[in-house]
Amino acid sequence: AVAIEHPDSGVAQVALHRLLAHDDAEGGAQRALTHLEALRPKIAGKRLEEAVMYQRARRLEALGRTEDARDAYLNTAEKFPYPFGAYNDGAFFRAGEMEEKLGRPKEAIAVYERLLSQREVSSFMGSYERPRYIPALLRIVKIHEEKLGDRASARAALHRLYAEFQTSTLRDDALW
């Protein structure tokens, strides 16, 4: 009721996560998915909608519905774009993982590149680095090397990590 009556409140997020934790524990991902699908039209256009869409994608993934999960992650990322989408980088990253599971390495790289394309440089102190940038670039390296057998592209991606992510603790690993 809190999520429906106050979907723009921070308390709605807490209520949603408690409901999902209960559903997951008592009835599994399918029960949580059923609640999320019933809830979404009631909170459409509200602040809570992004969390509902992302959690729906997570449950689809947990149920092994990989293509549906990929589509749901991409829909979340596209509906709530960077820099405003709280789940944007996570949604793109997980969509890339779904492409990998589906045996589509080039499509996975394209999704990871969409995530990386949102990167911007800070003109003042601080950083706009999002936590999935380096893992996405490392997934690209791994796909090039292990799935596509393209070591030159893998090396280029590692050099990109070194050249573009100057505050990363993995720069020396990339050079190595």
Side-chain angles (χ1 to χ4, degrees):
V2 170
I4 293 169
E5 293 172 22
H6 306 285
D8 290 325
S9 165
V11 178
Q13 291 270 353
V14 175
L16 175 66
H17 289 290
R18 285 186 179 178
L19 172 67
L20 294 176
H22 180 267
D23 284 347
D24 288 336
E26 296 296 319
Q30 184 58 55
R31 181 171 171 181
L33 180 62
T34 300
H35 266 127
L36 288 163
E37 289 178 345
L39 180 61
R40 184 169 176 210
K42 297 174 185 173
I43 51 89
K46 303 295 184 184
R47 196 168 141 202
L48 189 62
E49 183 179 16
E50 181 184 13
V52 168
M53 288 178 69
Y54 184 78
Q55 293 301 328
R56 178 180 175 273
R58 299 278 317 259
R59 294 329 181 275
L60 288 167
E61 180 182 353
L63 291 168
R65 295 172 54 187
T66 307
E67 288 183 22
D68 292 336
R70 178 210 47 215
D71 294 345
Y73 284 129
L74 289 173
N75 287 338
T76 303
E78 290 161 2
K79 182 161 181 151
F80 298 94
Y82 175 85
F84 305 108
Y87 296 99
N88 182 272
D89 59 333
F92 272 131
F93 189 84
R94 288 183 178 276
E97 290 179 323
M98 297 302 99
E99 289 288 17
E100 287 185 69
K101 277 186 175 180
L102 291 167
R104 298 165 38 107
K106 291 179 182 176
E107 290 80 356
I109 289 172
V111 172
Y112 293 133
E113 288 292 355
R114 285 180 70 185
L115 167 61
L116 290 165
S117 73
Q118 301 174 135
R119 186 170 180 260
E120 55 186 303
V121 178
S122 173
S123 56
F124 294 106
M125 290 180 61
S127 171
Y128 297 134
E129 301 294 337
R130 298 188 94 174
R132 304 284 176 126
Y133 287 153
I134 299 296
L137 192 48
L138 292 174
R139 295 298 312 155
I140 290 170
V141 170
K142 188 172 184 173
I143 292 168
H144 276 303
E145 184 172 9
E146 296 177 5
K147 303 285 190 231
L148 300 176
D150 185 354
R151 295 188 62 134
S153 293
R155 278 192 304 278
L158 285 169
H159 189 269
R160 183 174 165 198
L161 191 157
Y162 169 77
E164 295 179 16
F165 293 87
Q166 296 183 1
T167 59
S168 173
T169 59
L170 296 176
R171 285 183 82 212
D172 58 339
D173 293 9
L175 282 177
W176 176 255

